[in-house]
Amino acid sequence: MIYLDAAGTTPVRREVLEAMWPYLTGDFGNPSSHHELGERARDGLEAARADVARVLGCRPGEVTFTSGGTEADNLAVKGIALARRAADPRRTRIAVSAVEHPAVLESARSLARLHGFVVDVVPVDAAGRVSPEALAAVVGPETAVASVMYANNEVGTIQPIAELAAAARAAKVPFHTDAVQAAGVLPLDVRSLGVDALSISGHKLGAPKGIGALYVAGRVSIEPLVDGGGQERGARSGTENVAGAIALATALRLAESERPTAAPRLAELRHGFVQRVLELVPEALLTGDDAHRLPGSASFCFPRVSGESILLELERRGIICSSGSACAAGSSDPSHVLLALGIDPETAQTAVRFTLPATVTAEDLDAAARALEEAYAAVTGIARR
C-alpha cells in the first residue's frame, strides 16, 4: 500500500507516542487537582503550551488547547464575532473566503442562522487565491471578524496571509487563519504573518486525532463556546487532554525542526509527480495554484470520468488517496472549493487528491503515477500502449 492522503490524517510518530505515554500512565492526574499528581500533569500541560507558543512566536497564555482543528476554527470565528458584537453592536458581519474548510464556513452560517450575522463571502481567482484588494472591498466598520485559510485542504493553494492580515488590520478587523494544512510545511510565526488568531490540528502532524490548538492574540477578546470550570484561562472549559497536548507540542516541534529540509524535498517530489501524471494522462486537469501550492499537494480533475471510479481502481492497485476533504466524504455535491475556482459542477465531481506524507519516496510516486494511468485506462477503456 502507498498512502497518499496525508491531508486527511497522518500516522502517530513514535517520538510522539513516547512523549505522551507517561501522561497516560504514571502522571495521569487531573491538571486542576491540587495534589502532586495533578501538579505533575499541570507542569506537563504548561510545558506543552510553551512549546507550541515557541513555534508560533507568541506568549503561552495566547494558546488554547482544543479537541482539534474544527473546534479551534469554531472558537475563533464564533468566539471573536460574538465578543466583538457584544463590545460594538454595529459589528454584525463576518468575512470568509469562498474556499474555506467547512469548520469555518459552517461556523459563519451558524452565526447567521442563530445570531443574525451577515456572511460576506470573498471570491477567489481561478487558482483559488484571495487578493488583498478583494478582502479590503468586503471588510469594514460592521465586520466582526475575517477568516481566510493559510493553505487549502483540497487543492493546496497557499494564500498571501500577511497581505490579507494587513488589509484586515487596516479596517480594524480581527483576522483569523485556519493553518491546519500549513502546519509543519509553512512558517507559522504569528508576528510575521500579522494574524490575530490561528488554528492547528495534531493529527495532520503525527499526533493522535482529538487534539488541536488555537492562538488568539491577547488584545483580542473571545467569547467561550464551552462553559464549565473555566479551564484554558476561561476560553475552553473541560478537563484538559494533557497527553494530547504533549503529543501536539512534540509533533509540532519535530515538524518545525524538519521543515527547512522536508518541505523542499516534498515540493520537488510533488513537482515530478505532477509532470509524470500529466505526461501519462494528458486529459488530467491540475487544480490550484502552480506557484503558490503546498509542497506535498497535487489535485486533479478528470473531465467526463467518474472520480470515484478512479479512486476505486487506484485502491485496487494499492494507492490510497481521496477525492477531496475527508470532512465532506459521502456528500454527492460537487466541491465548493472547485466551484469557487470556476470549475463546472460535472468536472468538479471528478476530483482526485494526492497529498504526500513525509516518508514518501520517488519510487512510491512513480508507482502511483503508473497506477493512475492504468486506473484511467480501466475506467475509460482508453489504452495508452
Side-chain angles (χ1 to χ4, degrees):
M1 182 184 76
I2 298 174
Y3 182 75
L4 301 177
D5 193 22
T9 196
T10 58
V12 179
R13 296 182 60 153
R14 182 180 182 87
E15 305 96 320
V16 169
L17 286 170
E18 291 174 349
M20 66 189 295
W21 180 250
Y23 296 90
L24 294 170
T25 53
D27 293 333
F28 61 85
N30 186 322
S32 296
S33 297
H34 297 291
H35 49 59
E36 183 180 354
L37 201 58
E39 288 172 1
R40 291 207 301 267
R42 168 61 63 180
D43 289 344
L45 179 69
E46 294 311 319
R49 197 186 311 278
D51 281 348
V52 172
R54 271 190 287 275
V55 174
L56 300 185
C58 66
R59 298 193 302 271
E62 295 174 316
V63 175
T64 297
F65 288 113
T66 68
S67 64
T70 290
E71 186 189 347
D73 284 344
N74 272 256
L75 181 55
V77 174
K78 294 177 181 176
I80 294 174
L82 291 171
R84 287 279 283 176
R85 191 174 69 173
D88 182 354
R90 296 178 304 160
R91 302 283 182 174
T92 58
R93 306 184 79 90
I94 304 160
V96 297
S97 87
V99 294
E100 293 304 300
H101 188 278
V104 167
L105 290 178
E106 292 304 322
S107 290
R109 290 166 182 160
S110 174
L111 286 169
R113 185 173 63 253
L114 300 178
H115 299 280
F117 282 84
V118 176
V119 180
D120 294 312
V121 178
V122 187
V124 298
D125 63 19
R129 294 258 287 180
V130 177
S131 72
E133 294 76 17
L135 180 65
V138 167
V139 296
E142 296 180 351
T143 309
V145 64
S147 184
V148 179
M149 68 195 325
Y150 197 167
N152 188 261
N153 55 305
E154 292 190 34
V155 298
T157 295
I158 300 170
Q159 301 293 348
I161 291 300
E163 291 85 351
L164 295 171
R169 187 165 56 251
K172 297 182 172 57
V173 173
F175 184 85
H176 163 256
T177 189
D178 174 345
V180 166
Q181 296 295 337
V185 291
L186 298 177
L188 292 182
D189 187 280
V190 295
R191 293 166 298 187
S192 298
L193 294 174
V195 300
D196 300 294
L198 180 146
S199 307
I200 59 174
S201 180
H203 76 105
K204 313 295 187 178
L205 292 163
K209 302 169 188 66
I211 185 68
L214 173 66
Y215 155 76
V216 178
R219 64 183 178 277
V220 176
S221 297
I222 190 164
E223 183 72 20
L225 305 184
V226 179
D227 297 313
Q231 289 90 344
E232 294 298 288
R233 295 166 175 80
R236 198 262 189 185
S237 292
T239 302
E240 298 96 336
N241 178 1
V242 178
I246 288 165
L248 171 58
T250 303
L252 182 62
R253 188 177 67 248
L254 289 170
E256 183 64 15
S257 68
E258 295 162 356
R259 182 171 61 82
T261 55
R265 174 182 173 273
L266 278 180
E268 183 177 357
L269 288 172
R270 183 257 298 149
H271 177 74
F273 174 67
V274 168
Q275 297 308 307
R276 185 67 168 144
V277 167
L278 296 177
E279 172 192 332
L280 295 175
V281 188
E283 297 85 352
L285 170 66
L286 180 68
T287 58
D289 193 294
D290 283 337
H292 307 94
R293 178 187 295 274
L294 283 172
S297 180
S299 179
F300 303 90
C301 285
F302 299 88
R304 296 174 296 281
V305 174
S306 167
E308 194 66 28
S309 297
I310 290 180
L311 285 174
L312 291 172
E313 290 292 337
L314 283 170
E315 188 164 1
R316 290 192 184 101
R317 291 163 175 78
I319 309 299
I320 306 301
C321 53
S322 69
S323 59
S325 173
C327 296
S331 173
S332 59
D333 296 330
S335 161
H336 71 281
V337 172
L338 297 180
L339 295 181
L341 270 59
I343 296 173
D344 67 88
E346 183 179 355
T347 300
Q349 289 185 307
T350 72
V352 176
R353 179 186 71 173
F354 301 89
T355 47
L356 316 184
T359 54
V360 75
T361 66
E363 292 75 19
D364 291 335
L365 295 177
D366 183 63
R370 286 185 281 106
L372 180 57
E373 179 189 26
E374 294 174 5
Y376 185 82
V379 171
T380 62
I382 300 173
R384 299 298 179 197
R385 300 177 181 84

